[in-house]
Amino acid sequence: AQTVTQSQPEMSVQEAETVTLSCTYDTSENNYYLFWYKQPPSRQMILVIRQEAYKQQNATENRFSVNFQKAAKSFSLKISDSQLGDTAMYFCAFMKHAGANAGGTSYGKLTFGQGTILTVHP
Amino acid sequence: GAVVSQHPSRVICKSGTSVKIECRSLDFQATTMFWYRQFPKKSLMLMATSNEGSKATYEQGVEKDKFLINHASLTLSTLTVTSAHPEDSSFYICSAQSSPGTTEAFFGQGTRLTVV
């Protein structure tokens, strides 16, 4: 079984500053995907960024980037130039790679961390 | 991107009654959907995997008879909370992949269930 741990229940940052959210995970799988999801007050889950474990290059999406350390099983999210709209709860999540079981019933399951509440202050 | 619609967004029911929550994929077919439960300011916990045309797969500790899941078509999965009690009050979220092998999960808006 996989576990995902977010050790920062709450974080705060000033607008325009940079903040890093931590995530560690544990798995015996070699191929997998890691995600960061954002859940604003509306409660709608929004995909922020995705990392494929077999890719060494860290994923980036505009102001969002990750630091993926496979050996250390660490997957942190860096938000640059923080904006008020970034205020939300952020979840780190793990998904097994499909492999030969792409159509299998277990594929697509996400294991989430506990979440980090991020507040961006003006 | 693909859209998943969940209905209702909020529901209040009396203790002992049943309530049905619908999860629809609006512009794609989903052979598999997932149901999660989330307590306030907590993580999403997977309850079950809903498979079109077959029985749902429940996670350990989830009562099958209390949380009935039906996936009768490629665009609709339903979660029925039977004989609801106040401790069933929670936020329920569904998700689906647009096709097998893809990694992006599309989430419904969630349903806030309050049992009084």
Side-chain angles (χ1 to χ4, degrees):
Chain A
Q2 289 68 230
T3 58
V4 179
T5 303
Q6 293 177 249
S7 58
Q8 305 156 314
E10 295 189 37
M11 294 280 285
S12 64
V13 64
Q14 291 296 127
E15 197 174 7
E17 296 295 308
T18 296
V19 64
T20 299
L21 308 184
S22 301
C23 172
T24 59
Y25 59 95
D26 192 23
T27 183
S28 58
E29 303 285 333
N30 191 45
N31 290 327
Y32 48 87
Y33 301 95
L34 295 165
F35 306 83
W36 278 97
Y37 281 91
K38 168 184 177 180
Q39 189 181 42
S42 67
R43 308 292 292 269
Q44 177 71 54
M45 296 290 286
I46 300 167
L47 176 65
V48 174
I49 199 163
R50 171 181 56 205
Q51 176 77 43
E52 298 164 36
Y54 56 87
K55 288 188 176 179
Q56 291 186 328
Q57 187 173 6
N58 289 323
T60 62
E61 284 289 340
N62 301 312
R63 297 182 296 108
F64 301 89
S65 62
V66 298
N67 183 2
F68 173 50
Q69 301 292 325
K70 190 172 184 179
K73 294 191 171 79
S74 171
F75 183 61
S76 61
L77 174 70
K78 185 171 81 171
I79 305 175
S80 304
D81 186 26
S82 296
Q83 301 176 359
L84 297 178
D86 295 334
T87 293
M89 192 160 189
Y90 286 79
F91 292 98
C92 179
F94 174 101
M95 179 191 291
K96 286 184 183 180
H97 190 279
N101 195 33
T105 57
S106 64
Y107 179 70
K109 290 167 59 172
L110 285 163
T111 301
F112 289 92
Q114 302 92 325
T116 297
I117 298 172
L118 175 67
T119 304
V120 180
H121 298 285
Chain B
V3 178
V4 173
S5 177
Q6 197 171 332
H7 178 80
S9 57
R10 290 174 179 265
V11 60
I12 301 172
C13 71
K14 291 186 177 180
S15 188
T17 64
S18 295
V19 61
K20 181 184 288 188
I21 302 169
E22 293 185 347
C23 180
R24 291 182 185 273
S25 55
L26 297 186
D27 49 4
F28 66 97
Q29 295 182 331
T31 55
T32 303
M33 291 185 176
F34 301 91
W35 287 95
Y36 296 86
R37 181 174 182 176
Q38 184 182 28
F39 290 104
K41 295 187 178 181
K42 297 294 183 184
S43 186
L44 281 73
M45 302 300 296
L46 181 66
M47 298 174 65
T49 303
S50 173
N51 307 302
E52 188 269 334
S54 65
K55 291 184 179 180
T57 305
Y58 290 82
E59 295 299 303
Q60 191 173 5
V62 176
E63 298 177 61
K64 301 177 183 182
D65 295 332
K66 166 164 275 298
F67 299 101
L68 299 179
I69 291 172
N70 184 279
H71 196 150
S73 78
L74 286 171
T75 59
L76 174 64
S77 174
T78 61
L79 168 67
T80 301
V81 183
T82 63
S83 187
H85 288 99
E87 57 265 31
D88 298 325
S89 298
S90 190
F91 192 69
Y92 294 89
I93 309 175
C94 69
S95 77
Q97 263 80 9
S98 58
S99 61
T102 60
T103 60
E104 184 166 1
F106 297 97
F107 288 85
Q109 311 94 311
T111 297
R112 183 185 301 280
L113 170 63
T114 303
V115 184
V116 297

